[in-house]
Amino acid sequence: MEHKKTYNAKQLKTPHGNLIIEGPISSDKLAAYEFHEDLVAFRPPAQQHQALIGIAKLKEGRIIIARNRHTIVGYVTYLYPDPLERWSEGKMDNLIELGAIEVIPEFRGCAVGKNLLIVSMMDDAMEDYLIITTEYYWHWDLKNTKLNVWEYRKVMEKMMNAGGLEWYATDDPEICSHPANCLMARIGKRIDPDTVQKFDRLRFMNRFMY
Ligand SMILES: CC(=O)SCCNC(=O)CCNC(=O)[C@H](O)C(C)(C)COP(=O)(O)OP(=O)(O)OC[C@H]1O[C@@H](n2cnc3c(N)ncnc32)[C@H](O)[C@@H]1OP(=O)(O)O
């Protein structure tokens, strides 16, 4: 499949300053911007910056950023699912995963997360994808936000809903291991029924056990 990427951008005014929410952004541009030192949710900032540059180079990879002048203060990633996870087992070239989303603490609660999702979906090419995201509570910043798992889950749902991702049932053991974990997905307008069926089979791989 051809992976068309069309750049979109919007301005977001926040009490902490104006941001540009933009992408998909090229690896060269990503490399040229500063990467804020508080972007620590997944890896040390320098390593995560490099990881995002790598994703932007992938044919299916997409990075949308929130930028304050020359500094990246938030991002969301899209790429094929990890080959070790069940979501890649269907070898579906139109299934991509929202792999990570992060906003620095200073700008949280200012709708940056929601706008990263909104700008992501401005690209019409997203209608050709089935987009999934897996939510595991152990990736959440419960310590600093002081939210409990259900409050945090609500934040995640509201943010993902802004991009049209909705809750989907699954028997994936890791997701089922805690009730706050979940699978969310967005089925693009041009997705065919065959793809939806394949996705259903991926969601329920253990059904013959019952
Ligand atoms: C697939 C994955 O990546 S899982 C891991 C997700 N990432 C992380 O947990 C990393 C650390 N956390 C973060 O970076 C941020 O908190 C994010 C990305 C989860 C959310 O980003 P934000 O920019 O704060 O989200 P945003 O401001 O758009 O808020 C979404 C909704 O949650 C609400 N919300 C946000 N923070 C809070 C809070 N602390 N308390 C209550 N509600 C909150 C917002 O008011 C908004 O709700 P609304 O639509 O009713 O107004």
Side-chain angles (χ1 to χ4, degrees):
M1 128 177 218
E2 194 193 342
H3 298 280
K4 271 196 221 153
K5 302 181 200 177
T6 304
Y7 173 88
N8 281 285
K10 80 177 265 195
Q11 234 195 17
L12 180 69
K13 287 190 177 165
T14 83
H16 308 284
N18 291 352
L19 299 180
I20 304 285
I21 315 285
E22 61 178 352
I25 201 109
S26 71
S27 55
D28 289 347
K29 279 214 166 138
L30 268 175
Y33 291 135
E34 301 286 323
F35 198 74
H36 199 285
E37 61 183 11
D38 293 337
L39 290 168
V40 295
F42 298 95
R43 292 195 186 91
Q47 278 180 34
Q48 188 65 352
H49 194 185
Q50 287 309 312
L52 299 195
I53 293 166
I55 293 170
K57 285 181 186 161
L58 299 173
K59 59 185 183 351
E60 86 286 5
R62 289 168 178 263
I63 307 287
I64 317 299
I65 60 167
R67 176 167 60 82
N68 185 10
R69 294 181 193 195
H70 205 68
T71 304
I72 298 169
V73 296
Y75 62 83
V76 59
T77 74
Y78 300 85
L79 72 166
Y80 281 143
D82 187 312
L84 296 174
E85 290 206 354
R86 71 159 68 182
W87 312 110
S88 64
E89 282 179 28
K91 301 202 177 356
M92 296 160 69
D93 67 355
N94 55 357
L95 188 151
I96 55 169
E97 179 167 12
L98 185 166
I101 181 161
E102 180 175 9
V103 174
I104 64 165
E106 187 188 345
F107 283 99
R108 287 185 194 165
C110 301
V112 180
K114 284 167 72 170
N115 278 285
L116 283 167
L117 267 295
I118 290 168
V119 172
S120 301
M121 304 310 163
M122 282 180 179
D123 186 350
D124 181 65
M126 293 302 248
E127 303 304 340
D128 292 317
Y129 293 105
L130 198 162
I131 303 164
I132 63 159
T133 186
T134 52
E135 305 294 340
Y136 303 116
Y137 82 90
W138 47 86
H139 287 157
W140 299 344
D141 188 5
L142 298 168
K143 198 171 113 208
N144 289 315
T145 55
K146 304 207 168 35
L147 298 178
N148 66 40
V149 285
W150 294 109
E151 291 165 336
Y152 209 104
R153 160 74 180 268
K154 196 73 216 159
V155 171
M156 296 302 297
E157 264 179 67
K158 286 201 252 185
M159 180 175 68
M160 296 302 177
N161 288 167
L165 285 97
E166 296 170 336
W167 181 90
Y168 277 82
T170 178
D171 63 11
D172 180 76
E174 254 196 303
I175 292 177
C176 295
S177 71
H178 191 283
N181 292 349
C182 70
L183 168 71
M184 297 188 81
R186 178 187 193 273
I187 299 176
K189 288 196 190 90
R190 291 187 291 272
I191 287 292
D192 57 298
D194 190 44
T195 297
V196 177
Q197 254 184 27
K198 276 190 191 160
F199 178 52
D200 289 344
R201 284 199 291 271
L202 286 179
R203 290 194 294 129
F204 293 105
M205 290 176 87
N206 305 328
R207 68 193 187 287
F208 297 118
M209 287 169 66
Y210 299 106

